[in-house]
Each structure stands twice: as C-alpha cells, then as structure tokens.
Amino acid sequence: MKPQRKSSAVKLIGISFFASVCICAIVIFVANDVFSLVPCEREETVIVPEHAGTDEISSLLAEKGLIRFPIAYRLYAKFRSFGENYLSGEFQLNASMSYDELRMALSPKKGSRAQTKITIPEGLTTDEIIELFVSAGIGTKEGFVNAINHGGDFGYDFISEIPENEGRTYRLDGYLFPDTYFFYVDSTETEVISKLLAAFNRKFDEELRAAAKEKGYTVDEILRIASIVEREAYYRSDMPAVASVFLNRLKSKRFSRMESDATVKYIKTLSGDTSAPTAEDIDTLNHPYNTYKIKGLPPGAICSPGYDAIFSAVYPAETDYFYFVSAKDKSTVFSRTYAEHLRAVASLR
C-alpha cells in the first residue's frame, strides 16, 4: 500500500472511530435522560397550564431541569403513543423520574383530585379573596375567617409578630399574597391560607425584611403602607413616589396624619358601600381606618398588596413630596406644598 493511501485509510478509521464514540456518548446521554439511569434526588414544582400538549410539557420539564432533551421527549412520546391528554395544575416532580414516570405523574387518573386555577389580583380585600375561593367551591366563609383569625402562626415568625391592634379587620390582612395558584377543589381553608402565606414568605423574603427592619419598620407596618400605596397608585411607575408621600408624612413633625382617600373608601367597602369617598365621608366617618382622623398608620392593611407596592414601601423614591392627586388618565401629580397641591387640583378640574 502506498504511503498516501495508507495515511488516508488511517484518517478514515480515526474519523469513523471518533464518530462512533460521539454517537455512543449521545446515545448514553439520551438513554440516561429517557430512563433516568443515574438518579438525581431533586424536586421541582411544575405548573402545567390548561390544554398543554407534549411540546409545551417537554419545554416546561426542560426549563425545570427535569429532562435534558425536550426533542427526545417528544420523539419518545410519539413512539410510546403518549397522546396529548395531560393534567393541568401544580405538581411536585423528581429529577430521578424517567420519561414514563413523568408522563404517568401528569396523566389523568381515575379518582385523582381535581384542581382549579385561582387568580388573586393585587389590591383585593380579605373579604374579596375569601369570596373568590368560596365562589370556586373551595371552603366556606366561616371556615376561612376561622383559619385567618385563629389559625396560629403557620410556622412563620412574621405571623406571630402581628400586633393585636384594636379595630383591625382580619388578623392576616395584607398577608394573603396576590398571584395565580392551582388548588385542589377539596382543599381545606387552612391548606389554602398556608399556600398563600408560603407565597408571601417567598416574595417578602429575608432581604426585604432586613431592609425594612433597618429603616425602623416591621413587616406588618410595611404591609399597611404598601396596601395604601396599592390602592392609591394606578400605575406601578408611580408607586415609589406615592410611597414617599406617606413615608414623608409619617416622619414629618408638620404632618401627623396620612390623609389617604383609599382608607376612607375601605371603610365604606366594609359596610357594602362601593361609592367614591366624599368630603362628608372624610369629615364624619369616625373609624380607626380613617387616616384623615387618626394619627399614624391604620390598625391593619386595607388590601393585599402586590410585590411592587411592597418593594416601593421598603424602597420609596427619595422626594420632598407631601401631596398628590390623580389625573383623568389615572397618572399621579405630586406636590411639595399645599399651595402647589391646590394649583394642581384646580388645573386638573
């Protein structure tokens, strides 16, 4: 054999060997993914939306690190005739599960607990949140009120530290975190509240709590401020400045009252009156939540604030504003003095 031909043959053999090694490695990696040959004990929470098919399921599983090769999952699902019928809801899945085990965990089963999706918008009162669940067939109003007011601390320090303020509407006002959840339709009221508090604990994390404490505020005080910010600011971008107005007033010797219309509207809502607050309401409603009458913070949060309002209460904008008014487009106009505020109100009218 000529040296040139011999060299070409050696190269061809080398390339073939390298290709074979690569193919074998790919087969091993994919086989490990399909059959979970190397177990990994790690759990992930996967939320499957309604009407999700194999393509979406494979992407969700890959995002959570439960599978490595979504294309392989799709091909395997087609080979095994998995079909497109998956359960929707929230699932705890283990990284050691094979493709077949993952499919079984997400498949409709006889006698399986039905789940329903509940979305709690930012700014709802505790009563409105209770009504959401009751209207969805989960629990009773009496059961929720009992769990909220007498359910213990649920294992959280921030619950045990809630002050027993006279006139507070519900003990957990402000703590029922607004978000989208999946619940079993036969969930107990305590299970529901536990899930909402777990979400609150994740969002209002230790870093935020430490920042609030450093500024001299408790978790409950921040929630009371944030709840007012949530109801006063229509746009998220206005929340830091709105928060600064109320915090400036709380710190100032010139202003002993927060003077929030949202707290007056909350008082009216408690009695079933959904109309806008009037000047007469502000003057005549002698109530612990009327921040035109009381000094400092109301005894509890007036709604369940979202993350942006909470963050704004902990990290407000640095301003010298003491007044604001809402424009017709629902943006907020801020003022430093009462004279400026009156001019702003007049211009908007």
Side-chain angles (χ1 to χ4, degrees), residues 82-112:
F82 280 175
E84 298 292 317
N85 191 13
Y86 288 89
L87 291 168
S88 62
E90 185 175 280
F91 301 89
Q92 292 292 326
L93 302 176
N94 197 293
S96 66
M97 298 170 80
S98 66
Y99 284 7
D100 284 306
E101 289 171 327
L102 289 168
R103 177 67 177 100
M104 286 298 295
L106 301 175
S107 298
K109 306 170 191 66
K110 186 178 180 180
S112 60

Side-chain angles (χ1 to χ4, degrees), residues 56-272:
E56 190 169 359
I57 292 294
S58 63
S59 297
L60 285 171
L61 296 175
E63 286 173 11
K64 292 292 184 177
L66 296 168
I67 64 172
R68 290 185 178 181
F69 308 107
I71 294 176
Y73 182 90
R74 294 166 197 167
L75 293 172
Y76 187 78
K78 189 173 183 180
F79 172 75
R80 294 276 287 149
S81 301
F82 280 175
E84 298 292 317
N85 191 13
Y86 288 89
L87 291 168
S88 62
E90 185 175 280
F91 301 89
Q92 292 292 326
L93 302 176
N94 197 293
S96 66
M97 298 170 80
S98 66
Y99 284 7
D100 284 306
E101 289 171 327
L102 289 168
R103 177 67 177 100
M104 286 298 295
L106 301 175
S107 298
K109 306 170 191 66
K110 186 178 180 180
S112 60
R113 297 172 73 190
Q115 294 194 64
T116 187
K117 183 168 72 172
I118 303 285
T119 297
I120 303 174
E122 292 90 346
L124 291 193
T125 65
T126 300
D127 279 321
E128 289 170 332
I129 292 172
I130 291 173
E131 178 57 28
L132 262 183
F133 285 99
V134 174
S135 62
I138 300 176
T140 65
K141 180 172 182 177
E142 294 75 16
F144 276 111
V145 170
N146 184 62
I148 288 168
N149 285 337
H150 310 293
D153 62 13
F154 291 87
Y156 299 110
D157 290 340
F158 56 80
I159 299 296
S160 62
E161 293 168 358
I162 294 174
E164 295 183 5
N165 291 333
E166 186 177 348
R168 189 182 184 109
T169 310
Y170 288 107
R171 181 177 65 120
L172 297 183
D173 278 338
Y175 292 84
L176 308 181
F177 193 77
D179 206 342
T180 295
Y181 303 87
F182 281 93
F183 290 94
Y184 292 111
V185 294
D186 59 351
S187 294
T188 67
E189 295 89 350
T190 298
E191 287 173 336
V192 170
I193 300 304
S194 295
K195 195 165 189 174
L196 302 186
L197 291 176
F200 174 84
N201 183 53
R202 290 193 299 272
K203 293 293 186 177
F204 201 151
D205 56 21
E206 291 183 6
E207 185 177 343
L208 270 180
R209 286 175 227 165
K213 185 176 181 180
E214 186 177 341
K215 295 182 179 187
Y217 294 100
T218 66
V219 169
D220 197 71
E221 287 169 340
I222 289 294
L223 279 182
R224 283 180 263 168
I225 296 165
S227 70
I228 296 173
V229 172
E230 183 70 64
R231 297 297 296 165
E232 290 281 12
Y234 184 80
Y235 296 109
R236 292 179 181 178
S237 57
D238 285 336
M239 286 183 174
V242 169
S244 76
V245 169
F246 292 120
L247 289 165
N248 287 345
R249 281 176 167 262
L250 289 171
K251 294 173 186 174
S252 173
K253 293 181 179 178
R254 291 193 300 126
F255 295 89
S256 59
R257 294 174 178 83
M258 296 177 73
E259 299 185 359
S260 163
D261 286 2
T263 61
V264 180
K265 182 169 179 58
Y266 174 72
I267 297 166
K268 298 184 70 174
T269 301
L270 292 176
S271 62

Side-chain angles (χ1 to χ4, degrees), residues 324-326 333 335 338-349:
F324 65 82
V325 62
S326 294
V333 179
S335 302
Y338 188 57
E340 282 183 14
H341 177 62
L342 290 178
R343 287 197 294 272
V345 172
S347 67
L348 291 174
R349 287 176 179 169

